[in-house]
């Protein structure tokens, strides 16, 4: 174990840092990810304490040793990794990790497959699609998504990019037609109803997208 890469600011992307650091790993994260972790760390700890109580004992927020702006190349054990932070996606500091020799990309929460992605207040409905495009430009043949099984770029595009662009376009239309936040939940997302957790998240995603796009 030499390095651990935080691919975002959500609790499950970084709160293990302290454990790995104690094993001698160096932690790598983008600057916006560290800023996001610092801003939300205490809230995340509070929420987790309610959820798992004593089992949180020993977990403390620990931040990256290596902080990069938009790219960091890492060579370890004869393997070369390229880490990119092209822009915000699910969280402000999301990054993806390319293993060029194998044509594999680890996308963190930039890509969800099988289940519907979550647009939360930390997400960027405006910039997430172009961040996905940067993943696609790697040309990697194997995609390891943040949620869902290892997959192809085509499937990643279908379940993540197409979902985001549909939501963004439908909400833009809704706003142009003078629609309000209450009506925003009704925009047509029916092409994605097959995604897991569609019923619990699609309407909330629409509201969050509306809030982010309302004043543009
Ligand atoms: Zn996640």
């Amino acid at each position: 174990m030499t390095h651990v890469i935080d691919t975002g600011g959500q609790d499950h992307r970084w709160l293990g840092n302290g454990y790995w650091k104690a094993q001698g790993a160096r932690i790598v994260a983008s600057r916006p990810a560290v800023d996001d972790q610092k801003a939300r760390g205490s809230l995340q700890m509070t929420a987790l304490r309610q959820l798992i109580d004593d089992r949180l004992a020993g977990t403390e927020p620990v931040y990256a040793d290596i902080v990069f702006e938009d790219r960091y190349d890492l060579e370890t054990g004869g393997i070369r990794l390229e880490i990119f932070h092209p822009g915000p996606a699910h969280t402000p500091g999301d990054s993806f990790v390319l293993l060029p020799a194998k044509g594999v990309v680890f996308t963190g929460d930039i890509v969800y497959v099988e289940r519907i992605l979550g647009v939360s207040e930390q997400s960027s409905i405006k910039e997430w699609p172009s961040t996905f495009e940067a993943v696609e430009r790697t040309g990697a043949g194997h995609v390891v998504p943040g949620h869902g099984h290892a997959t192809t770029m085509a499937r990643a595009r279908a379940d993540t990019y197409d979902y985001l662009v549909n939501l963004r376009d439908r909400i833009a239309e809704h706003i142009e037609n003078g629609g309000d936040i209450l009506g925003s939940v009704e925009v047509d997302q029916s092409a994605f109803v097959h995604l897991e957790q569609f019923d619990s998240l699609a309407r909330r995603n629409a509201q969050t997208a509306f809030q982010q796009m309302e004043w543009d």
Side-chain angles (χ1 to χ4, degrees), residues 10-13 90 108-109 112 115 146-147:
Q10 231 186 345
D11 48 12
H12 65 107
R13 298 265 154 222
H90 181 59
D109 284 343
Y112 287 56
R115 60 161 275 201
H147 295 271

PDB file of all heavy atoms in Angstrom, residues 10-13 90 108-109 112 115 146-147, ligand 1:
ATOM      1  N   GLN A  10     -17.557  13.055  -0.826  1.00  0.00           N
ATOM      2  CA  GLN A  10     -18.603  12.381  -0.075  1.00  0.00           C
ATOM      3  C   GLN A  10     -17.951  11.479   0.971  1.00  0.00           C
ATOM      4  O   GLN A  10     -16.862  10.950   0.730  1.00  0.00           O
ATOM      5  CB  GLN A  10     -19.451  11.535  -1.035  1.00  0.00           C
ATOM      6  CG  GLN A  10     -20.934  11.783  -0.889  1.00  0.00           C
ATOM      7  CD  GLN A  10     -21.754  10.835  -1.736  1.00  0.00           C
ATOM      8  OE1 GLN A  10     -21.231  10.170  -2.637  1.00  0.00           O
ATOM      9  NE2 GLN A  10     -23.031  10.775  -1.467  1.00  0.00           N
ATOM     10  N   ASP A  11     -18.617  11.283   2.108  1.00  0.00           N
ATOM     11  CA  ASP A  11     -18.006  10.545   3.231  1.00  0.00           C
ATOM     12  C   ASP A  11     -17.314   9.251   2.795  1.00  0.00           C
ATOM     13  O   ASP A  11     -16.182   8.985   3.168  1.00  0.00           O
ATOM     14  CB  ASP A  11     -19.038  10.285   4.343  1.00  0.00           C
ATOM     15  CG  ASP A  11     -20.368   9.722   3.839  1.00  0.00           C
ATOM     16  OD1 ASP A  11     -20.444   9.318   2.660  1.00  0.00           O
ATOM     17  OD2 ASP A  11     -21.319   9.681   4.635  1.00  0.00           O
ATOM     18  N   HIS A  12     -18.004   8.458   1.979  1.00  0.00           N
ATOM     19  CA  HIS A  12     -17.442   7.157   1.626  1.00  0.00           C
ATOM     20  C   HIS A  12     -16.272   7.249   0.655  1.00  0.00           C
ATOM     21  O   HIS A  12     -15.686   6.225   0.292  1.00  0.00           O
ATOM     22  CB  HIS A  12     -18.537   6.222   1.085  1.00  0.00           C
ATOM     23  CG  HIS A  12     -19.149   6.652  -0.207  1.00  0.00           C
ATOM     24  ND1 HIS A  12     -18.894   6.015  -1.387  1.00  0.00           N
ATOM     25  CD2 HIS A  12     -19.978   7.678  -0.511  1.00  0.00           C
ATOM     26  CE1 HIS A  12     -19.574   6.606  -2.366  1.00  0.00           C
ATOM     27  NE2 HIS A  12     -20.232   7.621  -1.860  1.00  0.00           N
ATOM     28  N   ARG A  13     -15.921   8.444   0.223  1.00  0.00           N
ATOM     29  CA  ARG A  13     -14.764   8.631  -0.669  1.00  0.00           C
ATOM     30  C   ARG A  13     -13.512   9.022   0.107  1.00  0.00           C
ATOM     31  O   ARG A  13     -12.431   9.067  -0.466  1.00  0.00           O
ATOM     32  CB  ARG A  13     -15.072   9.725  -1.706  1.00  0.00           C
ATOM     33  CG  ARG A  13     -16.226   9.383  -2.608  1.00  0.00           C
ATOM     34  CD  ARG A  13     -15.793   8.758  -3.911  1.00  0.00           C
ATOM     35  NE  ARG A  13     -16.859   7.932  -4.431  1.00  0.00           N
ATOM     36  CZ  ARG A  13     -16.688   6.743  -4.976  1.00  0.00           C
ATOM     37  NH1 ARG A  13     -15.495   6.255  -5.124  1.00  0.00           N
ATOM     38  NH2 ARG A  13     -17.714   6.056  -5.398  1.00  0.00           N
ATOM     39  N   HIS A  90     -20.545  14.962  -9.281  1.00  0.00           N
ATOM     40  CA  HIS A  90     -21.394  14.628  -8.138  1.00  0.00           C
ATOM     41  C   HIS A  90     -21.021  15.477  -6.923  1.00  0.00           C
ATOM     42  O   HIS A  90     -21.875  15.878  -6.145  1.00  0.00           O
ATOM     43  CB  HIS A  90     -21.248  13.139  -7.830  1.00  0.00           C
ATOM     44  CG  HIS A  90     -22.082  12.663  -6.697  1.00  0.00           C
ATOM     45  ND1 HIS A  90     -23.459  12.768  -6.686  1.00  0.00           N
ATOM     46  CD2 HIS A  90     -21.749  12.101  -5.517  1.00  0.00           C
ATOM     47  CE1 HIS A  90     -23.923  12.268  -5.549  1.00  0.00           C
ATOM     48  NE2 HIS A  90     -22.904  11.860  -4.824  1.00  0.00           N
ATOM     49  N   GLY A 108     -14.798   7.130  -9.924  1.00  0.00           N
ATOM     50  CA  GLY A 108     -15.451   7.709  -8.749  1.00  0.00           C
ATOM     51  C   GLY A 108     -16.904   8.009  -9.079  1.00  0.00           C
ATOM     52  O   GLY A 108     -17.494   7.388  -9.980  1.00  0.00           O
ATOM     53  N   ASP A 109     -17.472   8.975  -8.389  1.00  0.00           N
ATOM     54  CA  ASP A 109     -18.905   9.254  -8.552  1.00  0.00           C
ATOM     55  C   ASP A 109     -19.226  10.092  -9.787  1.00  0.00           C
ATOM     56  O   ASP A 109     -20.347  10.583  -9.927  1.00  0.00           O
ATOM     57  CB  ASP A 109     -19.463   9.919  -7.293  1.00  0.00           C
ATOM     58  CG  ASP A 109     -19.648   8.902  -6.159  1.00  0.00           C
ATOM     59  OD1 ASP A 109     -19.657   7.692  -6.454  1.00  0.00           O
ATOM     60  OD2 ASP A 109     -19.784   9.328  -5.003  1.00  0.00           O
ATOM     61  N   TYR A 112     -22.280   6.689 -12.594  1.00  0.00           N
ATOM     62  CA  TYR A 112     -23.143   5.689 -11.960  1.00  0.00           C
ATOM     63  C   TYR A 112     -23.719   4.837 -13.074  1.00  0.00           C
ATOM     64  O   TYR A 112     -24.173   5.380 -14.086  1.00  0.00           O
ATOM     65  CB  TYR A 112     -24.347   6.347 -11.280  1.00  0.00           C
ATOM     66  CG  TYR A 112     -24.123   7.117 -10.003  1.00  0.00           C
ATOM     67  CD1 TYR A 112     -23.222   8.172  -9.932  1.00  0.00           C
ATOM     68  CD2 TYR A 112     -24.889   6.819  -8.881  1.00  0.00           C
ATOM     69  CE1 TYR A 112     -23.072   8.888  -8.761  1.00  0.00           C
ATOM     70  CE2 TYR A 112     -24.747   7.539  -7.707  1.00  0.00           C
ATOM     71  CZ  TYR A 112     -23.833   8.576  -7.646  1.00  0.00           C
ATOM     72  OH  TYR A 112     -23.700   9.288  -6.486  1.00  0.00           O
ATOM     73  N   ARG A 115     -27.956   2.033 -11.255  1.00  0.00           N
ATOM     74  CA  ARG A 115     -28.859   2.819 -10.412  1.00  0.00           C
ATOM     75  C   ARG A 115     -28.803   4.286 -10.845  1.00  0.00           C
ATOM     76  O   ARG A 115     -27.820   4.752 -11.434  1.00  0.00           O
ATOM     77  CB  ARG A 115     -28.526   2.684  -8.930  1.00  0.00           C
ATOM     78  CG  ARG A 115     -27.137   3.145  -8.558  1.00  0.00           C
ATOM     79  CD  ARG A 115     -27.008   3.434  -7.078  1.00  0.00           C
ATOM     80  NE  ARG A 115     -27.432   4.788  -6.764  1.00  0.00           N
ATOM     81  CZ  ARG A 115     -27.076   5.444  -5.662  1.00  0.00           C
ATOM     82  NH1 ARG A 115     -26.341   4.862  -4.747  1.00  0.00           N
ATOM     83  NH2 ARG A 115     -27.471   6.678  -5.454  1.00  0.00           N
ATOM     84  N   GLY A 146     -18.379   4.639  -9.995  1.00  0.00           N
ATOM     85  CA  GLY A 146     -18.503   4.884  -8.556  1.00  0.00           C
ATOM     86  C   GLY A 146     -19.588   4.030  -7.935  1.00  0.00           C
ATOM     87  O   GLY A 146     -19.494   3.635  -6.781  1.00  0.00           O
ATOM     88  N   HIS A 147     -20.618   3.775  -8.691  1.00  0.00           N
ATOM     89  CA  HIS A 147     -21.708   2.903  -8.249  1.00  0.00           C
ATOM     90  C   HIS A 147     -22.125   2.018  -9.410  1.00  0.00           C
ATOM     91  O   HIS A 147     -22.305   2.498 -10.516  1.00  0.00           O
ATOM     92  CB  HIS A 147     -22.905   3.727  -7.749  1.00  0.00           C
ATOM     93  CG  HIS A 147     -22.577   4.514  -6.507  1.00  0.00           C
ATOM     94  ND1 HIS A 147     -22.729   4.004  -5.235  1.00  0.00           N
ATOM     95  CD2 HIS A 147     -22.072   5.758  -6.362  1.00  0.00           C
ATOM     96  CE1 HIS A 147     -22.353   4.919  -4.351  1.00  0.00           C
ATOM     97  NE2 HIS A 147     -21.944   5.996  -4.999  1.00  0.00           N
TER      98      HIS A 147
HETATM   99 ZN1  LIG B   1     -20.896   7.697  -4.093  1.00  0.00          ZN
END
